[in-house]
Amino acid sequence: MPLYRDEAVVLRTHKLGEADRIITLLTRQHGRVRAVAKGVRRTTSRWGSRLEPFNHVDLQLAEGRSLDVITQAETLDPFHARLGLDYDRYTAGTVMLETAERLVTEEKEPAVQQFLLLVGGLRAMSGAEHPAKQVLDSYLLRSLAVAGYAPSFDHCVQCGVEGPHRFFNPSAGGVLCASDKLPGSATPAGETVLLLGALLVGDWPVVHAAEPRHLREASNLVSAYLAWHLERGLRSMAYVER
Ligand SMILES: [Zn+2]
């Protein structure tokens, strides 16, 4: 079987037979890959713990007929152990993994930007510099943008006129001016719209200066925007307090 190396984030694992696991990975060069890790559920396994969700790993894989087989795994960033210490960061991180899996739809189609965004997002989530909820919101907006659903928070999505605009509609793809507003649009505070733009580009000083009510409002709009673009909601989102 031909061998290849790649680095990856472990998105999900599930049991296979007596001792094996199927590992869903977002790799740097091969996009989403499902691979078998043999014998990792035996207590004598030396590397089973490296293949836990969140971990950033360096892998050697053998190409199989249906699923590839992981033949070596080294830990690059032990995000699983770090996030496991903090419930808020762990649950928000779980939403990131589920989002990445849902937005990278094809197996073995390279998705380098999504991979880099996820590694950067997990690094921020496992650090203490930024609050968990805003790391999540920023990640969700950016991963949606990479997937082709970039929201507009400054120009009206209908006519292109520069804002500030106070009508936001997930189905339209962002903010709308007063003449183009759709029925049922949200009318967030002006500060919230600016905050959403800051989360999209990672302008952290603006995020850190924001008031709690604007942070909450922004989180709700990000959730609505994400839900609109995914066919089914995210199971893991239920555990994140919004
Ligand atoms: Zn307009």
Side-chain angles (χ1 to χ4, degrees):
M1 292 198 288
L3 294 175
Y4 64 97
R5 285 200 86 82
D6 207 341
E7 52 176 295
V9 171
V10 177
L11 298 179
R12 194 154 59 94
T13 75
H14 58 267
K15 292 176 186 174
L16 177 69
E18 288 287 296
D20 305 342
R21 277 188 199 282
I22 292 180
I23 315 284
T24 304
L25 303 157
L26 181 59
T27 68
R28 186 187 192 110
Q29 295 165 56
H30 299 79
R32 199 174 76 175
V33 170
R34 289 200 315 145
V36 179
K38 291 193 169 150
V40 288
R41 283 162 55 217
R42 294 205 178 92
T43 48
T44 51
S45 167
R46 285 180 299 114
W47 50 289
S49 66
R50 295 174 199 165
L51 296 169
E52 295 283 1
F54 300 114
N55 280 351
H56 177 203
V57 287
D58 183 57
L59 301 174
Q60 186 184 65
L61 298 106
E63 275 177 40
R65 234 170 293 162
S66 56
L67 295 172
D68 294 351
V69 177
I70 298 172
T71 53
Q72 282 175 25
E74 299 297 334
T75 308
L76 298 174
D77 295 290
F79 292 135
H80 179 83
R82 284 194 217 144
L83 291 170
L85 301 172
D86 182 319
Y87 180 77
D88 286 345
R89 289 183 183 271
Y90 182 86
T91 50
T94 304
V95 176
M96 294 167 70
L97 297 185
E98 196 181 345
T99 302
E101 188 176 352
R102 293 282 291 279
L103 291 177
V104 179
T105 49
E106 296 294 317
E107 297 218 347
K108 297 231 173 152
E109 282 272 305
V112 187
Q113 274 186 290
Q114 289 289 7
F115 170 80
L116 294 174
L117 198 62
L118 183 60
V119 172
L122 290 172
R123 192 164 289 139
M125 192 59 90
S126 59
E129 209 181 324
H130 308 305
K133 279 173 192 149
Q134 281 66 55
V135 172
L136 174 60
D137 290 339
S138 179
Y139 170 79
L140 294 175
L141 289 174
R142 294 164 95 168
S143 59
L144 282 162
V146 168
Y149 310 122
S152 170
F153 297 118
D154 40 23
H155 297 78
C156 170
V157 290
Q158 201 58 249
C159 67
V161 160
E162 199 173 343
H165 300 301
R166 45 185 305 263
F167 301 95
F168 176 83
N169 198 299
S171 66
V175 291
L176 293 157
C177 70
S179 28
D180 289 322
K181 71 172 192 281
L182 295 169
S185 295
T187 50
E191 292 91 332
T192 302
V193 177
L194 285 175
L195 172 59
L196 285 164
L199 287 164
L200 177 60
V201 298
D203 185 352
W204 289 102
V206 172
V207 177
H208 285 283
E211 287 180 37
R213 62 196 166 115
H214 298 135
L215 292 170
R216 261 196 313 277
E217 192 171 44
S219 287
N220 286 328
L221 293 175
V222 172
S223 293
Y225 192 71
L226 180 71
W228 174 260
H229 287 289
L230 298 178
E231 272 179 33
R232 305 168 270 120
L234 295 178
R235 278 173 304 137
S236 52
M237 190 64 98
Y239 300 99
V240 179
E241 197 193 310
R242 305 300 264 173

